Amino acid sequence: MVGAWVIVGLLVSVAYPFLRDGTPVAAVFYNSFTVATLGAIVAGVRRNRPVQRVGWYVFAGAVGLRLCGDVTYEIYRQVLHLSPFPSLADAFYLGAFPLLVAGTLLVARGRLGRDWAGILDAAIISGGLSLVWWVFVIAPMAADASSPLLQRVIGAAYPALDLLLIALVAQLVIRSGRLTVSLGLLTVGMVALLVSDVLFQFMPTFAPEFEGVVAVGWLISNTMWGAAALDRSSRAPAPQPELQARGTTATLGRTRLALLAACTLLVPAVLFVQGLMIGPGKLNWLAIGVGAVVLFLLVLARTAGFVAQVQRQAGQLEELALCDALTGLPNRRVFEERLAGSVAAGNAQVAILDLDGFKDVNDRLGHAVGDRLLAVVAKRLAGALREDDLVARMGGDEFAVLLGAGSPGAMTGIVERLAAALRKPVEAGGHELLIGASIGSADGAGTRDAGEVLRRADIAMYAAKAAGGGRHRGYSDDLDARAGEQAKLGAEIRAALDLGQFRVVYQPIVSLPDGRIVSVEALVRWEHPERGLISPAEFIPVAEQNGLIVELGAWILRTACSQAVVWRNEFGEAGPQRMSVNVSARQLAEPGFTALVAEVLAWTGLAAHQLIVEVTETAVFGGGLAVQAVKDLHELGVKIALDDFGTGHSSLGLLQTVPVDILKVDKSFVDTITMAGRHAVIATALIQVSSGLGLMAVAEGVETAEQAAELYRLGYRLAQGYHFGRPVAEPDFLGTRVAVG
Ligand code: C2E
Ligand code: CA
Ligand code: CA
C-alpha cells in the first residue's frame, strides 16, 4: 500500500512539468493530488492508530492550508485573472508553516527529547545556514525600497519561515539514533519542500520558464508525507533519547565535527563573498556580527557539554575499575590502597572471610545461583559493619574487611557480627542455602608492609578452614611455622606417592560376644625414610587440602580391594567378609568417583556388597556432589558407613537423605561408657537409633574388656578397637579370639 502510493506520487511529480503550468488541467491535476495526500494521511492515521495521532492531524491541517492557498491562488489567476500580492493565498501559505512545524514536533516528539548535544549541533548547523540565507535572501528582499512595506514583509516572511524548517530538519537528521521509516519519509518530504521553496525564490529572476519544475519538489513532499502516515512504523513513538544515549551525538564523530566546522566557517565565508560582491563598504555587518557571536556561543556550549561528558565517562570508568561488578563492593585494588594507609598509620586490623562449600553450591546449583549467593552475602556483610569499616570482594568467594581507625581491639566483636549476619539461610534461585564462612584476622603489629598483613590474615583464614570451617582464627606466629610445615609436607606427599612410601594396614571389626572377625578397616600409613611412621591424622588433612588425596585414595582403594580378594581366596568363610575403606569429602566430590569404585571392583573381582565406604557426617552434611556420589555408590551395591558418628552435625535428618547401612559410634562415647553416672546415655541412645532405623552399629576404639562387655549389654553387636586388634598389615584371622565374657 505504501509502495503503491509512493510510485503513484512519484509518477505524478514527474508528469507535472509536462502539463503546461498555469492551465486549468495542470491546476486540477496538482490540487487533486494534494487532496489525495490529505486522504492518505487520514487513512494512515486511521489504519495505524499512531501514538502521536494529534501531531498527524496538525500536520494534515498544514497540508490542508497549503491546499486552500493553492486553490485561492488558482482562482485569482484562472478565474479572476488577477495576481495580487500579498493576497488571501499568502495568508493560507504562511499559516501552514507553524502547523508544519508543530505537527512535525509532535510526531517526532520522542526523537526531539532532551539530547542537548544534538540540539546544539542542529542549532549550529541551522545557525550557519540561516546567516547565509539572511544575508543573501531575506535582507536584500526586506531592504528593496522599490516595493511597498507590506509586500516586502510578506515576501521576506517566506524565506524566514523556511529558516524555521531548516532548523527543524537539522534537528531531525542530526539527532542520535536511527530514524523510523515514517520519520525518515517525513524528513525527506520536508527537504523536498525546502528545496522547492528556495528554488522558488530565485526561479522568477533567473529561469522563469522553469517555474513548473519547482512544483515537482512540492509534489514529492506531499508524496512523502502521505507515505509517512501510511507506513506501519508511524505507529511506534519516535525512539526515546534514553535509548539513544549511546548513539552518535554523545560522541563527536569525524563527519559531525567537519559539518560543525564548516557551518562555523560560514561566517568568514559570508564576509568574504559579500565583500567581493558588493564591496567592503556595504557589508551587512550587523547580521554577520550577530551570527558570529551566536555561533561562537553555541560552539562554546557544545564544547563545554562535550568536556563535561568526557569527565562523566572518565568518572564512570574509574568507578568500574574500583568496583566489583557482581556485588557492587569495592574491589581488591581499593582495599589494598586503604590498607596501605592504615598500615602506615599503625592501626591496621584486617579480617579475611572465605565461604565454606561455595564451590559445591556453584557445581551443584549452577553459577547463576552462586552469583546470587555472593551478592546476598556481600549485602549482609556490608550491613553488619560500621560506617568507617570497609568490606571488599577480593575475588571468588573471598571477602576482606578493614576496620576503621579508632577502634582498636574491636575485631572479635565485628567478626561475631559478620558470622551472625551469615547465619540466616540465603534465598537464591529458589533454594534455601545455609552458608558458613571461615574467618582469619590479623593486625599490623611489627610490620609496615600491607601485603604482609593480608598474608597473615590469609594464613589464619586457612587455619580456620582446616579446623573444619565455620570459625574464626586470629593470626599468631606458630601458624606461620605450621603453614610452612604443611607446604613442605604437601610436596613430600607427592614424592612419597611416586616412591611408594605408603602402606595400608588393617584393623579387625569383630562381632560380639564371640569376637569373630567379620570385616577389617583399611588404614593408611606413611613410612617416611627419616621421620619414621607418620600418622594419617597428620598428613590426610594436608592431602585433602592440596588435592593429592584423590590419587592417594584411589591407590588405597585398589590396594585394600585386592587384599580383600587375596584373603577371601585364602581364608574363605574364616576370613573377613567385608573391607571397609575411608573416603574423604574431597574424593566424593571428585566427578567420576563412583566410576572409579566400579572399575576397581571389576578389576579386583571384589563384589560390591563386600566393600564398605566410610564417610564422615561432615563430608555429606553440605549435600551436593558428595551426597550424590554416596547415593550412586549405594545404588552400585556398596555399603555405606557413617564414620565418627555423634561428633559432627549428628543430624538424624541426614540418615533420611543419605543411604546409610552402618553407624560407627565414635570412640569418645565408648571411652566413658564404664564410668559411673550418666556417661552411657549417648551410647545407649545411639544403639537405639540405629536399631530403630534398621542400621548396624559399630562401637569404635574399644580398649578394654569391660567396655566390650558393657557395649554388649547395651545391645552393640559389632566393635572395633585395640582390645580386639591393632591395625596391622596382616591380622591374625585364625588365632584365638577375645570373646566377651
Ligand atoms: P578413623 O577412620 O576414625 O580410624 C580409626 C582410628 O582410630 C585409626 O587411627 C585407628 O588406628 C584408631 N584406633 C582404632 N582402635 C583404637 C583404640 O582402641 N584406641 C585408640 N586410641 N585408637 C584406635 P589412624 O589409623 O591413625 O587413622 C586416623 C584417621 O585418619 C582415621 O580415623 C581416618 O579418619 C583417617 N584415615 C586413616 N586412613 C585413611 C585412609 O586410607 N583414607 C582416608 N581418607 N582417611 C584415612
Ligand atoms: Ca574410619
Ligand atoms: Ca572413626
Side-chain angles (χ1 to χ4, degrees), residues 543-550 583-591 619:
E544 277 173 349
Q545 240 178 41
N546 67 14
L548 276 173
I549 188 68
V550 174
V583 168
S584 55
R586 181 74 185 257
Q587 289 172 274
L588 289 173
E590 192 70 15

Side-chain angles (χ1 to χ4, degrees), residues 347-352 385-386 389 400-404 407-418 439-443 453 457 472-475:
N347 55 18
Q349 292 185 80
V350 170
I352 286 192
L385 292 175
R386 301 159 311 176
D389 299 329
V401 172
L402 177 65
L403 295 202
S407 50
M411 185 55 87
T412 338
I414 291 291
V415 164
E416 185 39 56
R417 277 160 69 168
L418 293 176
I439 306 178
S441 62
D443 56 25
V453 179
H472 166 224
R473 282 228 45 177
Y475 170 82

Side-chain angles (χ1 to χ4, degrees), residues 192-534:
L193 172 77
L194 270 174
V195 170
S196 275
D197 276 6
V198 172
L199 287 178
F200 187 69
Q201 298 293 334
F202 298 109
M203 258 335 166
T205 339
F206 298 115
E209 65 276 20
F210 285 120
E211 230 169 302
V213 177
V214 173
V216 172
W218 292 326
L219 285 165
I220 289 180
S221 68
N222 273 349
T223 308
M224 294 304 153
W225 292 340
L230 284 173
D231 192 81
R232 275 171 189 285
S233 64
S234 68
R235 203 179 300 184
Q240 290 294 308
E242 284 92 64
L243 299 177
Q244 308 165 356
R246 255 160 277 130
T248 46
T249 46
T251 53
L252 266 175
R254 260 172 221 225
T255 346
R256 168 91 41 110
L257 208 56
L259 201 60
L260 293 182
C263 288
T264 327
L265 288 175
L266 280 175
V267 176
V270 165
L271 198 65
F272 187 69
V273 172
Q274 226 197 359
L276 274 186
M277 271 168 58
I278 58 172
K282 292 189 199 152
L283 274 183
N284 192 344
W285 57 269
L286 184 63
I288 297 174
V290 169
V293 169
V294 168
L295 279 176
F296 176 75
L297 290 178
L298 285 173
V299 170
L300 199 66
R302 178 65 165 110
T303 318
F306 186 60
V307 169
Q309 178 162 12
V310 168
Q311 276 169 348
R312 196 167 52 242
Q313 282 171 345
Q316 283 169 349
L317 268 181
E318 187 163 353
E319 201 165 292
L320 268 183
L322 297 180
C323 211
D324 171 54
L326 179 63
T327 60
L329 290 183
N331 63 15
R332 183 176 211 111
R333 225 184 86 194
V334 178
F335 188 84
E336 285 174 350
E337 245 161 54
R338 283 273 297 271
L339 174 62
S342 300
V343 170
N347 55 18
Q349 292 185 80
V350 170
I352 286 192
L353 184 150
D354 191 278
L355 301 184
D356 298 330
F358 178 74
K359 184 182 174 300
D360 204 41
V361 170
N362 247 351
D363 289 349
R364 187 159 47 102
L365 305 174
H367 286 272
V369 175
D371 287 355
R372 172 96 194 97
L373 175 66
L374 286 178
V376 174
V377 166
K379 212 173 191 173
R380 293 217 187 144
L381 294 181
L385 292 175
R386 301 159 311 176
E387 196 65 40
D388 56 344
D389 299 329
L390 172 74
V391 58
R393 179 165 175 233
M394 303 297 268
D397 58 340
E398 194 175 290
F399 298 87
V401 172
L402 177 65
L403 295 202
S407 50
M411 185 55 87
T412 338
I414 291 291
V415 164
E416 185 39 56
R417 277 160 69 168
L418 293 176
L422 295 184
R423 264 198 276 279
K424 261 194 313 169
V426 173
E427 266 270 3
H431 302 271
E432 288 255 310
L433 302 171
L434 250 183
I435 192 93
S438 302
I439 306 178
S441 62
D443 56 25
T447 178
R448 306 246 101 198
D449 178 7
E452 169 64 13
V453 179
L454 262 187
R455 193 191 65 83
R456 289 177 183 177
D458 227 31
I459 286 187
M461 187 274 286
Y462 275 113
K465 187 147 282 207
R471 60 194 81 201
H472 166 224
R473 282 228 45 177
Y475 170 82
S476 59
D477 289 336
D478 61 303
L479 276 185
D480 246 352
R482 207 176 315 159
E485 245 165 63
Q486 287 214 341
K488 198 169 148 228
L489 202 62
E492 282 184 330
I493 294 174
R494 169 79 266 169
L497 256 172
D498 298 335
L499 295 170
Q501 294 174 351
F502 290 106
R503 303 272 172 276
V504 181
V505 291
Y506 303 89
Q507 183 176 35
I509 296 170
V510 303
S511 71
L512 298 180
D514 56 6
R516 193 169 51 86
I517 299 179
V518 292
S519 58
V520 290
E521 176 177 359
L523 295 159
V524 69
R525 296 288 177 266
W526 182 359
E527 284 175 2
H528 197 282
E530 290 139 41
R531 293 207 271 159
L533 254 148
I534 303 181

Side-chain angles (χ1 to χ4, degrees), residues 550-637:
V550 174
E551 197 177 333
L552 178 60
W555 176 81
I556 294 167
L557 186 70
R558 213 167 266 134
T559 310
C561 287
S562 34
Q563 185 60 254
V565 172
V566 168
W567 284 330
R568 189 183 67 191
N569 294 341
E570 194 177 342
F571 300 106
E573 287 286 287
Q577 297 308 299
R578 291 199 165 110
M579 174 60 73
S580 221
V581 179
N582 293 285
V583 168
S584 55
R586 181 74 185 257
Q587 289 172 274
L588 289 173
E590 192 70 15
F593 180 70
T594 313
L596 172 79
V597 172
E599 183 206 302
V600 169
L601 290 176
W603 181 70
T604 56
L606 191 70
H609 73 269
Q610 293 181 307
L611 176 64
I612 301 169
V613 160
E614 294 195 7
V615 298
T616 61
E617 287 171 286
T618 347
V620 288
F621 186 71
L625 287 178
V627 168
Q628 193 53 52
V630 169
K631 284 180 178 163
D632 293 345
L633 286 172
H634 195 254
E635 194 81 346
L636 204 65

Side-chain angles (χ1 to χ4, degrees), residues 14-44:
V14 180
Y16 183 76
F18 296 102
L19 302 172
R20 279 219 352 241
D21 193 47
T23 61
V25 178
V28 169
F29 185 78
Y30 184 94
N31 288 311
S32 309
F33 187 64
T34 314
V35 173
T37 303
L38 270 178
I41 294 178
V42 172

